[in-house]
């Protein structure tokens, strides 16, 4: 392996344009003749729309059209990745604060804004459901009309979108064998992604089809949904998804794009919409959760059973939230050896912003409950919190979830390293505490990615990949792989991404999958070219193909070593030419598996935190934050560190300061940057240490596993444990704001 | 009084004499009228710093300035940091230290860092944190950003 | 943003004439960090915005005059936080100014703008109250001096007469030694609006002044002349009831998103004790 390529801190491909301001994000792209769009939405969480009067808006100079549900095909088309429940525009009803009712298209932003202000919507505000209790109350109204629920859905007359049951063994029998049972309820708040780039979309007619520029992590999924909604073949729907200014899961699935596509086709002109930050908060968030957990242990701390009931509050439309519920809760018992497990996990519909994917995908919510509860067991038994984890941690190759991928790493090594870095066991000064937590998240359970690599006549390379680079550095990793396999310098490689008409199919960018699945596709495309070059070499040097090997940029035959590029050039004649390789990365579904597939790998993380609590105000100072992940092989350590540090700090945001605040009627009160607080450069831990354990035991290229979610998974319980250690009280709700900590100290609970 | 106002200002060393609507922010003027899209729009209430530029030597949120207020002044945006098309020391340091992940906050971070080094050529890490506290990064690359600023300061300051 | 007219007067009479002409339809623009947000979200719809930054006589400079320090109408926070005279004589004001938003905000936001906005959480208000600042104004009936404690009414409302504008803030240099400190409570260490603000000042004569905000419609100034609070040797049990009485005027809004009323009232006491202690320590060390 060329240590200058794989495992090197190679500067980011695309980095130069990021530091010069030259990078074109969707909002920077100027499409000629585009109309500017402004959305109209109501200041309430739920309403019956009585009438929409466009006349004043249409009279504003520059306004070209005001789109309402009546202007769409009837019945109003609905879409969604899981259930086609979300209408392109609110049809008769508004079901969450921020659902858009109309859209104004005008020549200028100012005219569109003025027009939007003047659209008169007459509506009747209705009571809204925005808590689990309200949704499950016996007399609760239905958030979704049964008519739009999936066919044959037995829960259609409830506010439960779905209910999943996972587990093994006999929990009730196991309960009688337990020496100690601890039961508690934990709550994880409603938070949002807050990528610094707001969602944006431009849609334009394109011949007899449509072209859509969108801030989107899954361009091919968007293409599919648009094609279906518009009744167009895939070949006539082009999605261009430039590198994102942050995604974190919030830009995976469509929300505004179908509307813009319809408008573009109706008006025969490009239409452009950039959401305000407030509007973004209204459209996407993480699932919040209430988890009731019952943990049974033996007196030596060995886990006997876990009994978990999770209610995840999803929004008014399902989006991908149910997948979050199932995948996040599937591993709710944790990366431990547990003889009996029962998990009941529900997605509960509500009149709140649609919950979608978010970094961690349900695992942070369950890890919060499980890890805090495990600590309670340890404390009750007088067992060290690190010790209880080591005792129960799944061993390498152990099938900790029966029938699924076994533990794919030496996780104990990760935990011990984290414990070492936090100086676990050393005495702490007063008002200080230490906590440690672990979690594992499944990588993708199915996956399909295609890649094409072109080795050009001068030995430079172009990689075509449908992955979305939103800062995690996928572009760079693929360039490194191609450079390694073709034996060229990384800066001789270009990577083309983000255009469904140009790059081959990629299922999606999520689940930390791209290094493994798409990386494998890129690797296989390179192997394809290497295979072609074997016959070129055999032919040119008059040897048997079987006698030729091609490995990482080097061609070996009859005792000689030649550079791959040299052989490639020799194989091209006077007409020039190039070599084109195609590769696939694939993980097949397992039909009767609860998640439709086993985990390709696990992201395993151990986080340990030292905190100081101000006894007067409840303010927390994170003295030291340690995060260690099991990465297999970090193909670009600098990028991995960026992702790990970043996920750790984002986790601190959720644990310490982020949450949606609702009023009595279900309106979100803290939209925007002034009252929704995320960590700034002054909110960093005094010491942040991130490390990776690399045992080369991943399924991806060069032994890699996926990264970028691991470090967020158990920040909250590590911090919660540290606070409990400091003040002697376990707080079971988040965020651990100064006020909440102060109240706990004052009330003694 | 009408709602357009003539302004005469320099942006990245180039002079512009134009009439602008009085309600146009400096941010929108730079992005939409001058096509300098390096400066970004996010929160629009002066909290995130994505719109940071330097006006008459001071870092400001361009979303909270009217273009007319920049009349007679000198504005520096991220496009003006590369002299002769070559990235400056801060930009190179950001590249070397992996400071830019998604990159959206980076122009603002660079301008705040540039402003800091103009006033304080040898900042300590805490001073960098303070100077960049108004530039939110959700990728949270704060540590690598800070390291890059300190490295650039060393290079420039000697 | 809705259209409005923009005026850039070059003299105070010109500015006053514009105010007289447009009455409540006129809004003054200095730093713009509050005004531009209000213009954009429609909470303010002026007919004319009057930019004060070119008016001769309204300068951004901080001037030392006979026995006082004068902040200009357009003096920005960033200059206040770094000014040598402010740091020496009015360190709590420098502290407060340094916590108003980010560097970008502080490069534009003015102290005068901060007090005219009169948010109960305004950071500069408590120090100005403790230091006994005087607001200088000019209007249709000439010049006026308004003691800062008579200036605040409630959010967005001051006793500045209609048609007037503030030309500066005067800070009388302390006659003797003084120790002062500003502190506040926020939701995060990064830039934030305060949930509680607190300034304490103790002087060589044993007088203690406390000013606090964000716990009622306007910032409040209270004074203890008994000498007990300023006494480093007096035990907490003796100081507590006096402090209690001084803080009795607080009535935080139950609707605030930043912090609940019970917590704020409790923090008022915590911050009061801490600011007081710091002020006493600074007085003892000979720092202002």
């Amino acid at each position: 392996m060329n240590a200058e390529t794989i495992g090197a801190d190679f500067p980011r491909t695309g980095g130069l344009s990021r530091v010069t301001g030259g990078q074109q994000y969707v909002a920077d792209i100027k499409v000629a003749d585009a109309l500017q769009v402004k959305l109209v939405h109501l200041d309430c969480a739920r309403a019956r729309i009585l009438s929409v009067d466009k006349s004043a808006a249409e009279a504003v100079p520059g306004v070209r059209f005001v789109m309402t549900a009546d202007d769409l095909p009837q019945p109003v088309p609905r879409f969604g990745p899981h259930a086609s429940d979300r209408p392109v525009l609110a049809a008769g009803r508004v079901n969450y604060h921020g659902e858009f009712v109309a859209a104004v298209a005008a020549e200028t932003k100012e005219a569109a804004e003025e027009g939007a202000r003047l659209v008169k919507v007459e509506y009747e505000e209705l009571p809204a459901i925005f808590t689990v209790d309200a949704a499950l109350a016996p007399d609760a109204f239905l958030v979704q009309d049964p008519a739009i629920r999936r066919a044959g859905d037995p829960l259609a007359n409830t506010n439960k979108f779905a209910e999943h049951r996972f587990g093994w063994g006999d929990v009730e029998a196991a309960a009688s064998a337990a020496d100690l049972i601890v039961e508690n309820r934990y709550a994880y708040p409603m938070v949002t992604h807050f990528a610094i780039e707001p969602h944006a979309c431009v849609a334009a007619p394109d011949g007899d089809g449509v072209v859509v520029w969108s801030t989107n992590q899954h361009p091919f999924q968007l293409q599919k949904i648009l094609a279906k909604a518009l009744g167009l073949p895939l070949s006539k729907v082009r999605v261009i998804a430039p590198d994102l200014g942050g995604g974190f899961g919030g830009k995976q699935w469509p929300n505004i794009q179908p509307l813009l596509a319809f408008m573009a086709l109706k008006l025969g002109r490009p239409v452009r919409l950039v959401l305000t930050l407030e509007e973004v908060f209204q459209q996407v968030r993480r699932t919040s959760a209430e988890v009731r957990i019952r943990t049974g242990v033996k007196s030596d701390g060995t886990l006997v059973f876990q009994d978990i009931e999770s209610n995840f509050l999803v929004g008014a439309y399902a989006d991908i939230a149910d997948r979050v519920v199932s995948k996040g809760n599937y591993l709710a018992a944790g990366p431990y050896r547990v003889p009996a497990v029962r998990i009941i996990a529900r997605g509960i519909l509500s009149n709140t912003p649609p919950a979608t994917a978010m970094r961690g995908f349900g695992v942070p919510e369950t890890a919060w409950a499980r890890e805090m509860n495990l600590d309670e067991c340890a404390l009750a038994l007088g067992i060290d919190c690190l010790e209880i984890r080591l005792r129960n941690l799944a061993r390498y190759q152990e099938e900790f979830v029966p029938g699924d991928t076994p533990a794919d790493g030496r996780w104990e090594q990760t935990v011990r390293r984290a414990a070492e870095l936090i100086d676990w066991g050393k005495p702490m000064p007063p008002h200080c505490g230490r906590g440690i937590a672990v979690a594992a998240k499944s990588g993708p359970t199915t996956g399909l990615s295609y890649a094409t690599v072109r080795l050009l006549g001068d030995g430079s390379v172009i990689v075509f990949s449908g992955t979305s680079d939103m800062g995690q550095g996928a572009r760079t990793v693929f360039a490194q792989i191609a450079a390694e396999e073709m034996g060229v310098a990384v800066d001789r490689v270009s990577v083309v991404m983000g255009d469904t008409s140009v790059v081959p199919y990629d299922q999606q960018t999520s689940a930390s999958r791209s290094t493994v699945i798409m990386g494998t596709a890129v690797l296989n495309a390179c192997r394809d070219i290497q295979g072609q070059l074997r016959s070129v070499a055999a032919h040119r040097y008059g040897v048997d193909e079987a006698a030729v090997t091609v490995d990482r940029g080097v061609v070996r035959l009859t005792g000689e070593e030649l550079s791959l590029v040299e052989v490639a050039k020799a194989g091209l004649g006077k007409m020039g030419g190039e070599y084109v390789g195609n590769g696939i990365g694939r993980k097949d579904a397992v039909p009767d598996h609860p998640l439709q597939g086993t985990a390709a790998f696990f992201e395993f993380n151990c986080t340990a935190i030292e905190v100081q609590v101000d006894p007067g105000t409840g303010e927390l100072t994170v003295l030291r934050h340690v995060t260690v992940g099991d990465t297999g092989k970090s193909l670009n350590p600098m990028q991995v560190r960026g992702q790990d540090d970043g996920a750790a700090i984002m986790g601190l945001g959720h644990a310490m300061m982020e949450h949606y605040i609702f009023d009595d009627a279900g309106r979100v009160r803290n939209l925007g940057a002034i009252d929704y607080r995320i960590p700034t450069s002054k909110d960093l831990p005094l010491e942040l240490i991130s490390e990776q354990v690399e045992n080369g035991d991943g399924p991806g290229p060069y032994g890699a596993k996926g990264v970028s979610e691991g470090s967020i998974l158990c920040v909250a319980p590590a911090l919660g444990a540290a606070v409990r250690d400091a003040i002697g009280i376990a707080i079971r709700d988040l965020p651990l704001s100064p006020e909440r900590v102060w109240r706990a100290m004052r009330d003694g609970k | 009084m009408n709602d357009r106002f003539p302004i005469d200002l320099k942006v990245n060393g180039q002079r512009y004499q134009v009439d602008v609507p009085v309600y146009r922010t400096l941010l929108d003027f730079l992005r939409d009228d001058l096509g300098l899209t390096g400066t970004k729009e996010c929160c629009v209430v002066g909290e995130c710093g994505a719109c940071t530029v330097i006006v008459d030597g001071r870092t400001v949120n361009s979303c909270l300035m009217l273009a007319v207020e920049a009349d007679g002044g000198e504005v520096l945006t991220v496009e003006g940091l590369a002299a002769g098309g070559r990235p400056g020391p801060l930009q190179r340091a950001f590249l070397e230290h992996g400071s830019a992940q998604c990159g959206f906050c980076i122009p603002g971070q660079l301008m705040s860092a540039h402003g800091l080094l103009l006033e304080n050529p040898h900042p300590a890490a805490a001073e960098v944190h303070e100077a960049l506290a108004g530039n939110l990064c959700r990728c949270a690359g704060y540590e690598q950003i800070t390291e890059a600023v300190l490295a650039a300061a060393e290079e420039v300051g000697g | 943003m809705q259209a409005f007219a923009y005026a850039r007067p070059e003299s105070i009479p010109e500015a006053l004439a514009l105010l007289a002409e447009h009455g409540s339809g006129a809004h003054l623009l200095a730093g713009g960090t509050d005004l531009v947000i209000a213009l954009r979200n429609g909470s303010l719809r002026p007919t004319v915005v009057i930019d004060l930054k070119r008016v001769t006589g309204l300068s951004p400079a901080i001037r030392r005059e006979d026995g006082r320090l004068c902040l200009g109408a357009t003096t920005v926070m960033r200059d206040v936080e770094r000014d040598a005279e402010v740091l020496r004589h009015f360190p709590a004001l420098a502290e407060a100014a340094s916590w108003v938003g980010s560097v970008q905000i502080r490069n534009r936001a003015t102290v005068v703008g901060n007090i005219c906005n009169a948010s109960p959480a305004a950071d500069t208000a408590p120090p100005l109250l403790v230091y006994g600042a005087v607001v200088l104004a000019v209007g249709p009936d000439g010049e006026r001096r308004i003691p800062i404690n008579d200036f605040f009414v409630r959010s967005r409302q001051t006793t500045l007469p209609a048609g007037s504008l503030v030309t500066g803030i005067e800070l009388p240099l302390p006659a003797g030694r003084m120790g002062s400190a500003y502190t506040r409570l926020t939701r995060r260490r990064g830039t934030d609006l305060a949930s509680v603000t607190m300034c304490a000042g103790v002087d060589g004569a044993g007088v203690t002044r406390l000013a606090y905000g964000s716990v009622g419609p306007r910032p409040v100034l209270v004074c203890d002349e008994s000498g007990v609070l300023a006494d480093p040797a007096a035990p907490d049990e003796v100081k507590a009831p006096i402090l209690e009485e001084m803080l009795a005027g607080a009535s935080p809004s139950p609707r605030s998103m930043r912090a609940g009323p019970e917590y704020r009232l409790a923090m008022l006491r915590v911050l009061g004790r801490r600011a007081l202690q710091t002020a006493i320590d600074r007085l003892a060390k000979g720092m202002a």
Side-chain angles (χ1 to χ4, degrees), chain A residues 628-663:
Chain A
V628 183
D630 179 66
T631 62
K633 173 79 189 159
S634 300
L635 301 190
N636 187 320
M638 186 165 71
Q639 287 187 170
V640 172
R641 180 192 162 206
Q643 288 290 293
D644 277 354
D645 280 4
I649 293 167
M650 185 183 267
L652 285 178
H654 299 167
M656 293 174 73
M657 60 184 78
E658 295 181 41
H659 60 138
Y660 279 71
I661 301 171
F662 285 86
D663 69 9

Side-chain angles (χ1 to χ4, degrees), chain A residues 177-244:
Chain A
D179 295 322
L180 171 73
I181 297 178
V182 173
E183 178 171 354
N184 282 301
R185 184 191 153 286
Y186 299 85
Y188 195 99
M190 215 179 272
V191 299
T192 186
H193 312 72
F194 199 160
I196 307 301
E197 176 200 37
H199 293 224
C201 180
V202 182
D206 184 25
D208 54 350
V210 72
V211 57
V212 175
W213 291 261
S214 176
T215 53
N216 192 275
Q217 295 174 230
H218 306 336
F220 287 89
Q221 299 290 345
L222 176 59
Q223 180 194 41
K224 189 162 96 172
I225 288 180
L226 286 176
K228 178 165 173 232
L230 299 169
L232 288 172
L234 290 173
S235 56
K236 302 289 183 183
V237 177
R238 180 176 181 190
V239 173
I240 301 175
D243 284 7
L244 296 170

Side-chain angles (χ1 to χ4, degrees), chain B residues 114-145:
Chain B
H114 186 82
L116 168 67
L117 295 184
L118 286 176
E119 289 178 358
N120 182 357
H122 302 287
E127 290 172 306
V128 177
H129 291 160
E130 178 67 46
L132 271 50
N135 292 87
L136 296 179
C137 176
R138 195 50 157 165
C139 299
Y142 296 118
E143 301 251 319
Q144 287 162 312
I145 289 170

Side-chain angles (χ1 to χ4, degrees), chain B residues 3 11 100 134 142:
Chain B
D3 65 356
V11 180
Y142 296 118

Side-chain angles (χ1 to χ4, degrees), chain A residues 416-435:
Chain A
R416 288 201 185 279
R417 182 61 184 147
E420 194 181 350
L421 288 168
I422 201 78
D423 287 322
W424 187 265
K426 277 220 187 100
M428 294 223 68
H431 308 304
C432 292
R434 226 180 251 127

